[in-house]
Amino acid sequence: LDENGYESYQPYFLDLTTRKPLSDTLPEISGSMCWGKNNDFVYYSKHDEAHRPYQLWRHKMGTAKENDTLLYEENDEEYWLGFFKSHDGRFLFCEVGTKEESEYRYIDLHSGDEGQATMKLFHGRENRLRYDVEHHEGRFIIVTNADGAKNQKVMVCPVDRTGKEHWKDMLPYEPARCVEGHMCLASQIVIVGRENGFSALWLLDPQTAALRKLEGFPEPVSTVGLGANKDYDTTQVRIVYDSLVTPPTTFDVDLKTMAMTRVHVKPVPEYDASQYVSKQLFTTGHDGTRLPMSLVYKKGSVFDKGAGPGPIFLDG
């Protein structure tokens, strides 16, 4: 609960069986929390005086906050700290980073006594090296700009050998494809990125590394991204699509057939999408570069009829 708008939060706990509050108290936190393997432990981060998340702590439920364990502290003021659990729930990752560099540490929540577990370094920070880590069936899946991959690629390494010298290409670098992130599900790895200037999603087979792009959306000028996906063992992935004429629309995509089922469209009062058209056009810049343009107009206008020039609103 943020009581003053400063984005410093006081956590409270509720027993969902008895509907009564628990006695556990924590210090002011940065707003980030997650459970451990189960509800025995909870993890949280704290701010420094500059309001920068810099410490990761572990609290054992039913004990005093004075007994909480400091797992990691980042003293470099250029680095911010974040943490999350792998999608399968096995690992807790702690990331520190800047816009140009990152460094991960991790705890195996399913190995030994969680209350005694300490953080292990994944790979030490390097100048201009970015990487993001997830876990999939005994391997770490890494999105990184290593080896000069400016638009990033996907690599893999064993869980017991995480240094960069052990990273191997899983999805080799393709300059025309920008890889921005990934989500690991039991049967597929979802790749988030961009291609030809537009956002895109791909399904990567973790066994064969075969790549399939999600396509077949109504308009070529559009945006697509991941929706809420809480289940690791699932047969479908939830995505959100929108365009210059289509309101945010949620689809469930079958991971095997890639068939899309529309499950929700954001209501827009007094709007009829069928009355509008969107297109992608290209022009040439003064240096010869091919520049994309997105155009939207109402059916029946001069643009639709090709009847000559008309008023236009430009933004870019």
Side-chain angles (χ1 to χ4, degrees):
L1 178 65
D2 180 6
E3 298 181 339
N4 55 26
Y6 192 51
E7 296 185 354
S8 293
Y9 298 84
Q10 180 62 56
Y12 298 91
F13 298 92
L14 181 71
D15 187 317
L16 295 180
T17 302
T18 64
R19 297 291 176 177
K20 294 182 178 180
L22 298 176
S23 60
D24 292 78
T25 60
L26 299 181
E28 280 193 339
I29 68 172
S30 68
S32 298
M33 293 179 63
C34 74
W35 294 106
K37 179 180 178 180
N38 47 43
N39 60 359
D40 291 336
F41 294 93
V42 66
Y43 296 82
Y44 62 92
S45 59
K46 295 174 65 174
H47 288 132
D48 63 9
E49 293 182 356
H51 216 61
R52 174 184 64 99
Y54 81 118
Q55 288 181 337
L56 175 62
W57 291 78
R58 177 174 58 215
H59 171 75
K60 180 175 175 59
M61 297 299 292
T63 67
K65 61 184 179 183
E66 289 76 16
N67 297 325
D68 291 356
T69 301
L70 175 62
L71 295 172
Y72 181 71
E73 177 174 316
E74 178 54 55
N75 292 312
D76 189 330
E77 294 181 356
E78 294 185 356
Y79 282 73
W80 283 47
L81 179 148
F83 64 97
F84 62 96
K85 282 200 298 186
S86 59
H87 208 63
D88 63 359
R90 176 175 169 180
F91 287 91
L92 177 80
F93 292 113
C94 174
E95 177 197 12
V96 293
T98 67
K99 293 292 185 181
E100 296 185 337
E101 300 169 7
S102 56
E103 181 180 81
Y104 272 72
R105 288 170 173 78
Y106 63 98
I107 287 175
D108 187 344
L109 299 174
H110 290 204
S111 177
D113 184 354
E114 182 180 349
Q116 299 299 317
T118 58
M119 306 227 74
K120 296 180 180 179
L121 178 65
F122 192 91
H123 179 75
R125 62 193 70 176
E126 290 185 19
N127 184 41
R128 296 184 180 274
L129 175 68
R130 300 189 308 271
Y131 68 92
D132 291 303
V133 183
E134 249 288 8
H135 174 257
H136 184 271
E137 303 299 320
R139 300 184 297 173
F140 287 125
I141 312 299
I142 309 153
V143 168
T144 178
N145 68 342
D147 308 322
K150 182 178 180 180
N151 285 335
Q152 303 201 126
K153 61 179 179 176
V154 182
M155 305 186 77
V156 61
C157 74
V159 293
D160 59 347
R161 296 187 300 278
T162 61
K164 195 175 70 171
E165 65 273 16
H166 300 294
W167 301 0
K168 305 297 182 184
D169 280 357
M170 185 178 192
L171 183 62
Y173 183 52
E174 171 53 61
R177 178 181 57 229
C178 179
V179 178
E180 298 178 336
H182 61 324
M183 178 182 69
C184 291
L185 303 174
S187 64
Q188 296 286 321
I189 299 170
V190 185
I191 304 298
V192 182
R194 305 186 76 85
E195 191 173 58
N196 297 322
F198 291 109
S199 58
L201 296 173
W202 295 267
L203 299 182
L204 178 64
D205 189 302
Q207 304 304 322
T208 67
L211 190 67
R212 297 177 293 164
K213 185 179 180 181
L214 294 183
E215 297 180 301
F217 297 107
E219 294 89 23
V221 183
S222 60
T223 300
V224 62
L226 288 173
N229 292 275
K230 301 297 184 182
D231 295 329
Y232 176 74
D233 293 296
T234 181
T235 59
Q236 60 189 22
V237 61
R238 179 156 291 185
I239 67 172
V240 179
Y241 164 89
D242 70 276
S243 75
L244 292 171
V245 299
T246 300
T249 304
T250 302
F251 290 94
D252 284 339
V253 181
D254 187 285
L255 293 174
K256 183 176 293 186
T257 67
M258 299 182 72
M260 292 190 293
T261 303
R262 186 175 66 182
V263 295
H264 182 262
V265 180
K266 183 178 180 179
V268 180
E270 301 182 18
Y271 172 69
D272 181 3
S274 67
Q275 295 297 309
Y276 297 87
V277 178
S278 66
K279 292 182 178 179
Q280 184 183 43
L281 305 176
F282 287 89
T283 187
T284 302
H286 62 82
D287 60 353
T289 302
R290 194 166 181 247
L291 303 175
M293 299 185 298
S294 300
L295 180 67
V296 59
Y297 56 86
K298 189 172 183 179
K299 291 180 179 178
S301 67
V302 293
F303 301 103
D304 194 30
K305 297 176 181 179
I312 188 171
F313 174 76
L314 292 174
D315 185 30

